[in-house]
Amino acid sequence: MDISQARKNAIDNQIRPWGGLDYIANNALRDIPREDFVPDNYKNLAFADIEIPLTDKAKMLSPKVEGRLLDALHIRKNETVLEVGTGSGYLTAVLSKLCQSVTSIEIDETLSNSAQQKLKELDIKNVSFEVGDASKGWQRSTDFYDVVVISTSVPKITGRFFHLLNVGGRIFVVEGTGKAMSAKIITRLSEHKWETKSLFETQLDVMQGLETAAKFKF
């Protein structure tokens, strides 16, 4: 596989046509070697328009979803980011190129350790890794962020995530159950006011810990 051509094709033929037009974000996606974060048996599909399995409970987002969410969030260099679901660490590394710092939470300690090692090899130093269950909320109440990226679906977004944001901050989340899921950007306009914008319809696996809740209709 011609890696450089496959990377270019992913940007030009998947990400940009699907609304991922942010030049700075696309450069970050291009600069981080996605193929290094893909499991060995999926190397030939590193840039395919699919979610790549990492474990029986975790997948990498497809390139077009990554590009679209970054375009919608428009992350700035002075901002702090909370990533819920480290996964492979690829999106974590991309985020690190766009912002001041990233805190990345992962429920699977093995995935977290693997991602940490990969970012160390890339000499990325503005990411802190945490192992924990974000479905129960992120309890460190003194921490607030400019951007929150939730890389799985949730049946319904709740205040436990809203209140992690600074005023002016944004959350990317896929909300819903079954086949009725919508990707959204939620912006905190003031201390008690939020604005929600729907981006596109998609389907992602539900956040670990919320599987039972996903069986109920909201």
Side-chain angles (χ1 to χ4, degrees):
M1 181 175 64
D2 184 336
I3 293 292
S4 61
Q5 187 60 48
R7 196 186 328 277
K8 184 178 186 299
N9 290 344
I11 299 289
D12 294 343
N13 301 333
Q14 295 179 50
I15 293 171
R16 289 180 59 81
W18 220 58
L21 302 175
D22 187 295
Y23 178 78
I24 296 173
N26 287 350
N27 276 346
L29 288 166
R30 186 181 291 110
D31 289 345
I32 300 297
R34 181 182 176 89
E35 65 277 9
D36 290 351
F37 291 83
V38 174
D40 288 342
N41 54 330
Y42 284 92
K43 290 290 187 186
N44 63 325
L45 296 173
F47 299 95
D49 183 18
I50 61 170
E51 296 175 87
I52 293 177
L54 300 170
T55 68
D56 60 345
K57 295 182 179 180
K59 298 174 183 174
M60 291 180 73
L61 295 174
S62 68
K64 69 183 183 183
V65 170
E66 291 167 337
R68 184 70 185 278
L69 77 85
L70 292 174
D71 185 271
L73 287 168
H74 191 58
I75 300 167
R76 294 179 284 271
K77 285 296 289 184
N78 65 332
E79 292 187 314
T80 57
V81 175
L82 175 68
E83 180 188 36
V84 180
T86 308
S88 72
Y90 171 68
L91 185 58
T92 318
V94 173
L95 289 167
S96 77
K97 298 297 184 182
L98 301 174
C99 67
Q100 181 182 102
S101 64
V102 180
T103 300
S104 189
I105 310 168
E106 173 57 53
I107 194 170
D108 185 323
E109 186 172 4
T110 300
L111 283 179
S112 181
N113 290 341
S114 174
Q116 187 169 352
Q117 181 59 37
K118 287 182 170 66
L119 267 67
K120 183 178 180 180
E121 291 168 2
L122 292 172
D123 198 31
I124 293 172
K125 298 177 179 177
N126 63 335
V127 177
S128 61
F129 293 89
E130 303 279 355
V131 176
D133 183 355
S135 72
K136 296 179 170 59
W138 196 236
Q139 300 300 323
R140 299 190 308 182
S141 59
T142 57
D143 290 347
F144 296 90
Y145 302 89
D146 300 303
V147 175
V148 176
V149 179
I150 302 175
S151 60
T152 57
S153 70
V154 298
K156 189 172 181 65
I157 190 72
T158 64
R160 70 179 62 151
F161 293 111
F162 287 174
H163 292 284
L164 290 168
L165 285 181
N166 291 317
V167 173
R170 293 88 65 207
I171 296 175
F172 172 85
V173 64
V174 173
E175 184 180 40
T177 58
K179 295 182 178 180
M181 293 187 187
S182 178
K184 299 176 179 179
I185 293 287
I186 301 168
T187 303
R188 188 170 193 173
L189 301 177
S190 66
E191 187 176 355
H192 301 294
K193 187 176 181 181
W194 289 264
E195 176 184 75
T196 300
K197 177 182 179 182
S198 292
L199 298 176
F200 53 88
E201 302 301 311
T202 190
Q203 290 182 25
L204 295 180
D205 290 344
V206 68
M207 183 184 293
Q208 291 183 53
L210 297 180
E211 296 92 343
T212 302
K215 295 179 181 178
F216 296 92
K217 294 182 179 180
F218 288 86

